[in-house]
Amino acid sequence: VILTDGYPAVVENLEYNIHATAAAGKQVLRARASVLQWENPWSPDDHDVVLATDVCYHPPSFPALAAALDALLPCKYGAVLINEVRSEETWNGLARELEHAGLRVEERA
């Protein structure tokens, strides 16, 4: 599991949570945290799925998000975006941007 964010301070908090979970005796399966800038994405060598939560709210960032997802795919199971739809216009704009990047949007619930 690679936990990412674009802000180093958030990544530091993710690292803290990983270590705190392990220190509490909870099982942590190969988790690490890393900065991921959508404008300059990297792709791990081996990953099964991309899971993104609450990333679809700022329309000017949609092209960079689509490019980052394109860089992270293909992977075994694809990508899952979980996000509250704050407005249909915003969500439809993201769907158009993903499709423009050659990514297929299968379901919008």
Side-chain angles (χ1 to χ4, degrees):
V1 175
I2 304 171
L3 307 171
T4 66
D5 197 275
Y7 296 101
V10 174
V11 172
E12 287 177 23
N13 190 53
L14 293 170
E15 290 171 341
Y16 172 83
N17 288 333
I18 291 168
H19 295 298
T21 300
K26 308 282 187 193
Q27 185 177 13
V28 179
L29 300 175
R30 298 183 330 194
R32 66 182 173 96
S34 182
V35 173
L36 175 64
Q37 297 292 334
W38 292 348
E39 298 82 7
N40 188 24
W42 47 266
S43 183
D45 293 333
D46 183 27
H47 60 288
D48 291 331
V49 68
V50 174
L51 176 62
T53 61
D54 202 28
V55 295
C56 310
Y57 53 86
H58 187 61
S61 70
F62 292 169
L65 173 58
L69 288 171
D70 188 45
L72 291 167
L73 296 171
C75 58
K76 190 172 186 178
Y77 298 109
V80 177
L81 277 68
I82 300 170
N83 206 84
E84 180 174 343
V85 176
R86 291 171 175 85
S87 81
E88 286 296 321
E89 180 181 351
T90 299
W91 176 249
N92 290 334
L94 174 63
R96 281 191 304 274
E97 191 64 44
L98 294 173
E99 290 166 351
H100 179 71
L103 302 171
R104 188 177 66 222
V105 177
E106 288 187 5
E107 189 172 324
R108 295 182 253 177

